[in-house]
Amino acid sequence: MTTGPGPLVSVIVPNYNYAASLELCLRALQAQTYRPMELIVVDDGSTDDSAGVARRLGVRVIRTEQNQGPAAARNLGAAHAAGEILMFVDSDVAAYPDAAEVAVGLLAADPGLGVVSSIHDPEPLIRDSLVEEYRALQYHYWTVSSEGPVSFLFSALMAMPRRVFDEIGPFNPRLRETEEVDYGHRLTQRYEMLLTTAVRSRHDHDDRLVKLLRKLYRRGRARVPLYARRRRFARGFETSSRAGGSLAALAAVAAVPLVIPFGPAGAGVAGLALAVSLLADLGMYRFVLRRRGPLFLLYFGAVHFLVNVTIAAGVAAGVVRWLCSARFRRLYDPEVTIGISGQAAT
């Protein structure tokens, strides 16, 4: 444990129906080596026993009457927090015992650093399915390969000085899928963000394929107005090569009907697109092969192909919507209304 007085860290846990992992999350936070610390759960209209889980562990709970989304929940927690450092931890994440201590030290060492974000382990917090094991490995590799300064905010476990939050302003509560991308874009106009393996955690990833694909589709679609405005990809995670891999996967699917009229030539086009998609993430496939062997790699590759097609389809749908909807083009306009209504309970 740290010695001597340090700044108060307010740990804010936004939660919506994650009672299954919330106890693991809160126990990990209660076991942190850093002090002083306050712990706040913002129960965002849950219909399960999430609030009861937190109360039984002696954690302060702030409840909303209805679900408002993670951005509004983080804002509400920040409004009730007293700390000089705000640490946001999703309720499906368990931090390593030294996570807060390391994050505070990194922020103290560099006044120009606005956010420190954690990298999740390649093993999921709760092993529920092969889909979850795929997602844990894929997400770990993409984040590890992005380690360092980033412009894409990894909000599942992040720490930031309160003064930075007050300066940048709250998360945009109108955004339910891409609030972290928007916030990272705003924050990096003034500060650096660091993604680091020095701050470690485990994540209870999605364990059902349809749920994962639906989420990735919505996120891909919602990113279009921001990237259209910025005219460049975020630094870290969503690289141009990975975007190309997703587009190539979609092109491979679109080229399959060419086999009927064009025979081998049509099959060659589809095969070439598939090869481009695989080459875009060749390093990740090697990583999975080393960790899990060839049999799991086949499963991993099949799921990742579906993921790539889904992301590209979401982006394509977003482009169409961007062309047709002025309201969609204004999705990231700086018109933020902070919702801090809720009932506090302990």
Side-chain angles (χ1 to χ4, degrees):
M1 185 177 296
T2 52
T3 58
L8 174 64
V9 173
S10 295
V11 184
I12 299 159
V13 180
N15 173 79
Y16 176 61
N17 286 345
Y18 273 93
S21 59
L22 182 59
E23 181 172 352
L24 295 174
C25 170
L26 297 180
R27 289 192 182 279
L29 292 171
Q30 290 174 329
Q32 289 295 298
T33 59
Y34 184 87
R35 295 292 185 274
M37 176 181 290
E38 68 169 349
L39 184 52
I40 302 170
V41 169
V42 180
D43 188 52
D44 189 22
S46 292
T47 57
D48 64 6
D49 189 38
S50 293
V53 169
R55 289 195 182 103
R56 285 192 291 272
L57 291 174
V59 177
R60 180 186 178 192
V61 177
I62 300 168
R63 300 194 67 185
T64 62
E65 295 297 329
Q66 58 186 8
N67 181 256
Q68 300 176 16
R74 293 190 188 105
N75 294 340
L76 178 58
H80 286 267
E84 297 176 51
I85 304 292
L86 301 179
M87 186 170 173
F88 296 96
V89 182
D90 286 357
S91 55
D92 55 0
V93 171
Y96 272 60
D98 64 348
E101 183 174 353
V102 172
V104 170
L106 290 169
L107 291 171
D110 184 358
L113 189 58
V115 164
V116 172
S117 290
S118 169
I119 288 180
H120 304 316
D121 283 359
E123 299 84 17
L125 176 61
I126 303 172
R127 290 184 179 272
D128 292 319
S129 70
L130 288 177
V131 170
E132 186 166 14
E133 293 185 33
Y134 154 81
R135 180 59 166 165
L137 286 165
Q138 178 259 333
Y139 196 88
H140 173 81
Y141 184 85
W142 277 22
T143 49
V144 162
S145 60
S146 304
E147 185 170 12
V150 292
S151 61
F152 184 109
L153 178 63
F154 293 83
S155 57
L157 195 164
M158 54 172 271
M160 63 189 303
R162 179 62 191 240
R163 59 176 174 79
V164 173
F165 183 85
D166 291 341
E167 180 181 343
I168 302 302
F171 289 87
N172 188 337
R174 294 183 297 133
L175 302 174
R176 284 179 170 258
E177 295 287 347
T178 54
E179 78 288 343
E180 79 286 1
V181 183
D182 169 68
Y183 202 83
H185 172 64
R186 288 157 52 198
L187 189 143
T188 49
Q189 308 306 307
R190 305 182 191 182
Y191 295 95
E192 286 286 327
M193 294 195 303
L194 180 66
L195 177 66
T196 176
T197 52
V199 181
R200 296 178 61 189
S201 55
R202 285 200 175 189
H203 188 191
D204 185 28
H205 295 276
D206 291 315
D207 60 359
R208 297 195 303 276
L209 183 59
V210 172
K211 181 180 179 181
L212 174 62
L213 295 180
R214 187 183 296 120
K215 177 190 292 185
L216 294 174
Y217 177 86
R218 292 196 305 262
R219 289 179 176 178
R221 181 182 61 190
R223 278 160 168 66
V224 170
L226 182 62
Y227 286 155
R229 177 177 297 179
R230 296 180 60 190
R231 299 177 185 237
R232 57 189 173 89
F233 288 98
R235 181 173 44 165
F237 204 72
E238 294 180 345
T239 64
S240 57
S241 65
R242 287 171 183 157
S246 294
L247 291 174
L250 184 61
V253 172
V256 169
L258 297 178
V259 175
I260 297 175
F262 297 106
V269 172
L272 178 61
L274 177 60
V276 170
S277 178
L278 293 174
L279 286 171
D281 266 316
L282 186 59
M284 180 175 67
Y285 293 126
R286 289 172 175 164
F287 167 76
V288 174
L289 179 63
R290 290 193 302 269
R291 290 191 65 93
R292 299 295 301 273
L295 187 60
F296 185 83
L297 177 62
L298 289 174
Y299 170 81
F300 183 97
V303 174
H304 193 62
F305 179 78
L306 290 175
V307 163
N308 270 331
V309 170
T310 300
I311 292 172
V315 171
V319 170
V320 172
R321 190 174 179 186
W322 184 85
L323 291 171
C324 299
S325 171
R327 182 178 180 182
F328 187 63
R329 291 194 292 271
R330 296 194 301 268
L331 183 62
Y332 295 92
D333 284 358
E335 301 170 357
V336 180
T337 301
I338 308 172
I340 58 173
S341 61
Q343 294 180 347
T346 57

